[in-house]
Amino acid sequence: MKNKQRLENIRKDFTPQFFISLKTYDKNKFVKDLMAGLIVGIVALPLALAFGIASGVTPEQGIITAIIAGFIISFLGGSRVQIGGPTGAFIVIVYGVVQTHGIKGLIIATIIAGVILVLMGIFKLGKIIKFIPYPIIVGFTSGIAVTIFTTQIADIFGLNFGGEKVPGDFIGKWIIYFRHFDTINWWNTAVSIISLLVIILTPRLVRKIPGSLVSIIIVTIGVYLLKTYAGIDSIDTIGDRFKINAALPDAEIPNINMAAISDLLPVAITIAMLGAIESLLSATVADGVIGGEKHNSNTELIAQGVANIVTPLFGGIPATGAIARTMTNINNGGRTPIAGIIHAIVLLLILLLLMPLAQYIPMACLAGVLVIVAYNMSEWRTFKALLKNQKSDVAVLLITFFLTVIFDLTIAIEVGLLLAIVLFLKRINEVTHVSIFKDRLDLTDESEYTQDDEILMLPNGVEVYEIDGPFFFGIANKFEESMRVIGDKSKIRIIRMRKVPFIDSTGLHNLEGLCKKSMNDQIQVILSGVRKEVHRMIENSKIPSMIGEENICDNINQAISRSKEILGISEKKL
């Protein structure tokens, strides 16, 4: 019976929203999902092209990612409305991997990241991702935005580097930009400015059609006419740099060995963490808009993982939930994963039927699209507001931001997560405190005791140490400080633990040390009000044998009665 219940719980925990939605699916929902899927597919097209090129791969690899990952994330995901695909957040890390390890290295790193995401979902780590401090997330996204903008400078101004390779680092890029700024191509600059203006102005005229698509259509036609009838051929297009392949490639399984895994594991962890953070943030934002049942974060992570395992086999790049496309889906009526699946089918048809036309799109136009993406990612208003927060938050924000911009995202994520842990421990340590009582103990407004006493008189030689908060390694120092303040030694030390929600192995070790030291000083330790979870940990330690099982009491009244009993025995012996 228990096994059946366990299996039922597992089924509920990991059932994709696609199958849940089918139970109540009807024609009305399909019509809305169809319209939403069509519009999101059109919105995703220019972004997929731009993200593919900016990431250092081909434009069709960006679309292939949007097709395969978009389908898998909608089909297996834990959100009703999440739209998956390549995103701006991955541009920096993907570009770096391609430059350092090549396409094969990127494929292996993405697959490893997918495996990590699946394991995170299976072990139910979805909710833990949400506890990453907000300043770290803003620092990441703002830093990525600045880096994306930096990568587009060459295309915006049409700079010619004379065959000199553009460095991968932020400072190196700007040095080479300034060195070759005299090669600026004003036609490219004009194309970029016009693209930006069209993207900005379109929503004021037509809300349903994305400005990026309108910009690409208008500017591409304009540049084609200039090339054909005015002889202006200095404006680079996608076709000038890439050979367009309008077909889904065959799957290729890369040769993955331990050397490749150890070399690419740090990058894979970065991809996994970034994907998890962005997808779960996107799903959480979507929950707030559509209301009703919340997304299943663990199922969502598993879907993200499967997408990142399968997609690179077809030449795709890392994918995650995309906030802008998800919001477009919601705003156009999408309410089930069917909309995301339709969006993937629309992109597949575009790839097969219209992809050759992409060769005419100017690179400067795509640069304009990415500048808008970078601006929206920058969250500069939020960044500015966070600078007014407490100093620790500002320090974390700036450290994460500058590490992302000046170094790379791998270092930023590693240091950011380390900062998150340190800040968490620091704040937990600040809220955990030890109170010391001698002579009397005020029990007003407490529910632990069953008697009517509000003031308990403590026998001479008895001290009560009350811990309020989690008991981990930092609390040991507070005990020692408290004892030094008291100065004189008591005969009995009652440690009141009713407000201790958990104790870790380090805290348990420190409590053992405290008990041992007290016993060596001939001070009897009594534990009071130990919760069940904490009690189980203590039972498996040396503490019961040190202080005696009888000295682990359910509440403070029992503990004081026990202390009187011990003192009574001592007096008789004397």
Side-chain angles (χ1 to χ4, degrees), residues 47 50-51 54 87-89 91-92 138-153 156 196 199 324 366-381 383 401:
L47 295 176
F51 293 152
T87 65
I91 289 175
V92 180
V138 174
F140 286 151
T141 53
S142 298
I144 291 168
V146 171
T147 309
I148 291 172
F149 174 75
T150 299
T151 61
Q152 299 309 303
I153 294 297
I156 290 172
L196 285 168
I199 294 170
L366 288 181
V369 171
L370 287 171
V371 166
I372 295 296
V373 170
Y375 176 82
N376 292 333
M377 281 185 68
S378 68
E379 299 188 61
W380 65 270
R381 292 183 181 85
F383 193 99
F401 173 78

Side-chain angles (χ1 to χ4, degrees), residues 34 37 185 320 477 480 495 515 518 520 541:
L34 178 63
N185 182 329
T320 185
N477 294 331
E480 292 175 4
I495 301 177
C515 292
S518 298
N520 289 339
S541 69

Side-chain angles (χ1 to χ4, degrees), residues 236-251:
D236 279 355
T237 63
I238 290 178
D240 294 328
R241 298 189 191 179
F242 302 96
K243 184 180 179 182
I244 304 297
N245 185 16
L248 278 176
D250 295 329

